[in-house]
Amino acid sequence: MLAVLLMLPSDGLQARPRKLNKYVTMGMSAEERKDWDKALEYYSMALADAPGDAIALVGVRRTRFEAGQAHVELGFKLRQAGKLEEALVEFQKAFSIDPASAIAVQEIKRTSDTLELQRAGKLPSNEVNLTAGERAQKESEQRISSMLPEPELKPINNQPIVLKMNNQPPRVLYETVGKLAGINVVFDPQYSPTGKNVNLDLSNTTLEDALNYIALLTKTYWKPITANAIFVTEDSITKRRDYEDQVVKVFYLKNPTTPQEFQEIVQAVRSVTDIRRMFTYASQKAVVCRDTVDKVALAEKLFHDLDKPLAELVVDIMVIELKDNYSRSLAASILQNGGTAQGLSLPIAYTPRSSLSIPGTGSSGTGTGTGTGTGTGTGTPTVATASSIPLSVLGKTNFSDFSTALPGATLQAILSDSTTKTLNSPQVRASDGQKVSLKIGDKIPYATGSFQPGVGTVGVSPLVSTQFQFADTGVNIEITPHVHGTDELTMHILVDISNANNSVTIGGLQQPIISQRKNEGDIRLRDGEISLVGGLMQTQESNVTNGIPGLVDIPIIGKFLFGGNTKTKVTEQLLIALIPHIVRTPNLTELDMRGIAAGTEGEVKVNFAPKEDRTPPAAPAPAPPAATAPAVAPPVPPPAPAATTPETPPPAAPPAPTGPPALAFILPTLTVPVGSAMPVTLRADNLTDLFSAPIRLKWDPKILRLERVAPGALFSRDGQTPNAPVIDIRNDSGEASVGISRAAGGPGVTGSGALALFTFTAIAKGSTSIVVTQANLQDSKQQPIQVAPPTVAITVQ
């Protein structure tokens, strides 16, 4: 019977049809193979058979996203390979699978625009795989890279100048040096030398040194304006402000870790260079400078020298706490019976005998008869008690009326010796000048204040009106290091070792008593040197003797026969050791330590060494082969034109139409599942001077629903923005009207491309057709363009 029950299907399997289980299993298998399209298909079939099945519904939603994303990634790869049409199909498939994919919609638009530019011949072959944004970014980078830096002299003759001239004006001196080096000299029209003629004697001098020498002698100012020309004018503040070139440069600092470090570097450079236009961009740690060439060059040198990583070190910390507790107890004494206190104690109690009675007062008797007689009385005698007796009976009392308890004896010998050792060995890493903290232990609450409620509240706990804080106990260490060079450092240390060893009640609240051992100071060490900063030792000894007075004082045997002796010794040691290791230094080089010439008080001037000529030497010409015919000189090539900044070529004219005008629908597939989105492109071919395109569409509203309409790239292919489209969608009747036109007064557009983009959603199974019922295309002269209305058949499964 048990075997039969085990063979029966479970409730879950009975509730799930076998066909549904098959589709779900196939979908899971396809998911494992990363075949998202098949997985979506199987889960959709399972969901169609059981619309309320949770596993199928979750599987459809999960695989729909994955399938759409897979087609998007494949589209990216195809577009990078230059296969735009195939990439467009993949993006359209992604959108049809997952209509919520915003990236699919964006890539459809980008790829369509790029494809239109390629077909129109406006796209270079090396930019086919770039989107419009990427092409704009590339053009921006090209413009930035084409910006020229400050002019640099490149004389024809780099040989050292040897020149000697006497009693010559500044113009002659500049022009003579310029001719020797092969450069042109341009003078300020307002420049008129007023000083005397000067003598010039140059020997083995470079061009820039010679020009600087002349400028110093004649009080003039020169600057390069091209690679082979200089400009000369009077050296004055006004002329420098008018003619001195300025440059803009952005410096990116890498090593500041805090805003304070970043601002300190910037402030130091600003103060030294006197650059007024220096601005910071803290999020990128960037500094933007705009000033003269020499000031910006000096700022570059200073930023290079100051932007250094902070030194770092690792500190090994050892906290050793040793506690030794020794206790010895020896005793051999007479004790009270059952007692524990050492010494002799003999209490005496009064316990009278039963025969010891106290005379009492009897009662009078009454007799009967006549005559005189003696009466006999009866009464109860009084017995003595332990607390008090009559003095009349005191004479009858003897030793038998008293009792005492005999003392016992004890022999005790106890020895206790315990040792406790605590070792903490943490490790911390810190940067130069940055405080690092280490806390190992607990937080103990304690009351810091209280207030009295304004209204009397009987029975309210005092905790209601009490503030608490927490004290860190255990091992608390703070270290602030300062590295000196590569092998020494200074550390400001704070070591606090504390623990709660008792408590006290204050104002009804129990407060902890925290024992604390604290050490703070500054020490200087070498790399790897051990420093003991917390060596504390405490010793407590006690010797206690007790016993029978007099007898316990007998030498040698008194303490051991008539008393006891207890000796205790407690020793506590605390040892804290710090071992620093420098793991990084600022890495200062010779370039950082070298000083440079920076001009005068009123003028910043930076001089540069001549650049090395890195032009490879020309290869020796091969020897001409022996020939019988006379050698013919090769034709001399024409001189190369002067280098100019490349200009953007004018856009190419669109190709002339090669056939009759036509309209056609473009779809990624003609068969779509229920619930999926379907992008439809209305394409126009071979149009001339197209200005406006009113279009009317019709479809079966029971099978399809039109979600959105967007103008195609054909109307904006020449860079002009068309008018906003006029769109009227009526899904209840399955009709739509779209009006797209160019801006008024502008020309029409010629060529082929996407006229409009439609997005439908399949809402029910069946077959229908999308038909253009009216296409009144017109040119810029309001003349009609005759085209055949297209149609396309769609099947929804």
Side-chain angles (χ1 to χ4, degrees), residues 765-778:
K765 295 183 178 180
S767 299
T768 183
S769 297
I770 302 175
V771 182
V772 175
T773 59
Q774 183 179 352
N776 299 327
L777 277 63
Q778 296 179 351

Side-chain angles (χ1 to χ4, degrees), residues 152 608-614:
E152 181 181 355
F608 296 90
K611 293 185 177 180
E612 297 180 2
D613 188 7
R614 298 184 180 181

Side-chain angles (χ1 to χ4, degrees), residues 347-366:
I348 300 175
Y350 179 63
T351 54
R353 294 160 291 156
S354 58
S355 60
L356 184 62
S357 59
I358 302 174
T361 303
S363 57
S364 301
T366 58

Side-chain angles (χ1 to χ4, degrees), residues 431-780:
S431 298
D432 187 12
Q434 306 295 324
K435 183 175 70 173
V436 61
S437 300
L438 176 67
K439 299 180 184 295
I440 304 176
D442 302 321
K443 285 182 174 291
I444 297 180
Y446 63 93
T448 58
S450 61
F451 64 91
Q452 182 68 29
V455 180
T457 53
V458 179
V460 178
S461 172
L463 300 178
V464 177
S465 57
T466 304
Q467 295 84 34
F468 289 89
Q469 289 187 3
F470 291 85
D472 292 319
T473 61
V475 179
N476 302 310
I477 300 175
E478 292 184 359
I479 300 176
T480 305
H482 297 279
V483 178
H484 312 295
T486 59
D487 58 353
E488 287 194 1
L489 66 147
T490 297
M491 293 190 300
H492 177 82
I493 61 171
L494 173 62
V495 180
D496 185 357
I497 299 178
S498 58
N499 63 296
N501 59 4
N502 208 337
S503 61
V504 63
T505 301
I506 302 176
L509 297 177
Q510 190 174 10
Q511 301 291 319
I513 298 177
I514 300 176
S515 62
Q516 186 181 54
R517 282 162 289 180
K518 190 174 183 180
N519 191 331
E520 182 176 5
D522 294 278
I523 57 176
R524 180 158 181 156
L525 303 171
R526 295 184 63 85
D527 184 17
E529 182 179 354
I530 301 176
S531 174
L532 301 178
V533 295
L536 302 176
M537 180 178 293
Q538 179 180 357
T539 302
Q540 180 179 358
E541 296 184 4
S542 62
N543 193 348
V544 180
T545 301
N546 48 23
I548 302 174
L551 298 179
V552 74
D553 296 328
I554 299 175
I556 302 176
I557 62 174
K559 295 180 180 179
F560 304 105
L561 295 181
F562 304 102
N565 178 260
T566 301
K567 186 175 183 180
T568 304
K569 183 178 182 180
V570 179
T571 303
E572 296 184 6
Q573 298 183 25
L574 176 64
L575 179 65
I576 303 173
L578 301 179
I579 309 174
H581 304 280
I582 300 175
V583 296
R584 176 181 292 171
T585 60
N587 191 23
L588 300 178
T589 63
E590 182 182 358
L591 178 62
D592 302 321
M593 306 300 293
R594 184 170 61 89
I596 60 172
T600 62
E601 177 69 21
E603 174 193 356
V604 174
K605 178 63 177 177
V606 178
N607 299 315
F608 296 90
K611 293 185 177 180
E612 297 180 2
D613 188 7
R614 298 184 180 181
T615 305
T628 56
V632 179
V636 179
T644 58
T645 303
E647 297 181 355
T648 303
T658 59
L663 295 179
F665 285 113
I666 299 177
L667 286 81
T669 179
L670 299 178
T671 303
V672 296
V674 176
S676 63
M678 181 180 61
V680 178
T681 302
L682 180 59
R683 178 179 174 81
D685 293 312
N686 304 321
L687 297 182
T688 303
D689 195 24
L690 176 64
F691 187 81
S692 62
I695 302 170
R696 295 178 63 89
L697 275 74
K698 189 170 181 61
W699 65 93
D700 188 350
K702 297 180 181 179
I703 300 176
L704 299 178
R705 181 175 69 249
L706 181 59
E707 301 292 347
R708 61 180 68 89
V709 180
L714 180 61
F715 278 90
S716 58
R717 64 185 309 167
D718 57 353
Q720 296 187 12
T721 303
N723 294 328
V726 180
I727 302 173
D728 182 17
I729 300 176
R730 297 182 294 276
N731 280 310
D732 53 347
S733 60
E735 294 180 344
S737 299
V738 181
I740 308 174
S741 62
R742 299 270 286 181
V749 64
T750 300
S752 303
L755 192 63
L757 303 176
F758 304 92
T759 303
F760 289 89
T761 300
I763 59 177
K765 295 183 178 180
S767 299
T768 183
S769 297
I770 302 175
V771 182
V772 175
T773 59
Q774 183 179 352
N776 299 327
L777 277 63
Q778 296 179 351
D779 58 14
S780 60

Side-chain angles (χ1 to χ4, degrees), residues 118-306:
Q118 183 187 28
R119 290 171 178 171
K122 296 182 178 180
L123 192 64
S125 58
N126 60 344
E127 297 183 2
V128 173
N129 58 343
L130 301 180
T131 63
E134 292 172 343
R135 290 194 300 274
Q137 179 68 21
K138 182 178 179 181
E139 293 176 0
S140 176
E141 292 177 355
Q142 290 177 349
R143 287 195 302 270
I144 293 174
S145 62
S146 64
M147 293 181 181
L148 299 176
E150 64 276 9
E152 181 181 355
L153 279 179
K154 295 181 180 179
I156 298 176
N157 186 5
N158 285 321
Q159 296 297 325
I161 298 176
V162 178
L163 179 64
K164 183 175 183 180
M165 302 181 68
N166 296 323
N167 195 24
Q168 297 295 329
R171 286 180 178 269
V172 176
L173 298 178
Y174 275 111
E175 290 174 351
T176 303
V177 173
K179 289 179 181 180
L180 290 176
I183 63 171
N184 300 318
V185 182
V186 179
F187 289 91
D188 183 7
Q190 300 178 355
Y191 173 65
S192 57
T194 57
K196 299 179 180 180
N197 296 344
V198 295
N199 300 328
L200 181 64
D201 189 357
L202 301 178
S203 177
N204 197 21
T205 306
T206 62
L207 173 61
E208 291 194 8
D209 290 342
L211 295 176
N212 291 334
Y213 188 23
I214 298 174
L216 181 62
L217 293 177
T218 60
K219 296 183 180 180
T220 55
Y221 159 70
W222 70 272
K223 72 168 187 176
I225 53 178
T226 63
N228 62 347
I230 64 172
F231 175 81
V232 180
T233 186
E234 179 186 357
D235 189 5
S236 63
I237 298 177
T238 303
K239 292 297 182 180
R240 283 186 174 272
R241 185 174 59 248
D242 294 340
Y243 293 108
E244 196 168 20
D245 293 330
Q246 293 193 345
V247 294
V248 176
K249 190 167 185 177
V250 181
F251 301 97
Y252 294 93
L253 307 184
K254 300 181 296 182
N255 295 295
T257 57
T258 62
Q260 180 181 357
E261 293 180 32
F262 178 60
Q263 293 296 335
E264 286 179 355
I265 294 176
V266 174
Q267 184 62 32
V269 176
R270 181 187 288 118
S271 301
V272 173
T273 60
D274 198 22
I275 297 179
R276 294 178 299 169
R277 297 182 180 91
M278 180 179 290
F279 306 96
T280 59
Y281 183 39
S283 61
Q284 294 291 335
K285 296 181 183 177
V287 185
V288 184
C289 299
R290 181 178 184 268
D291 215 296
T292 63
V293 177
D294 293 312
K295 287 186 178 181
V296 174
L298 179 59
E300 182 177 10
K301 169 68 168 61
L302 295 178
F303 279 126
H304 173 271
D305 295 346
L306 296 177

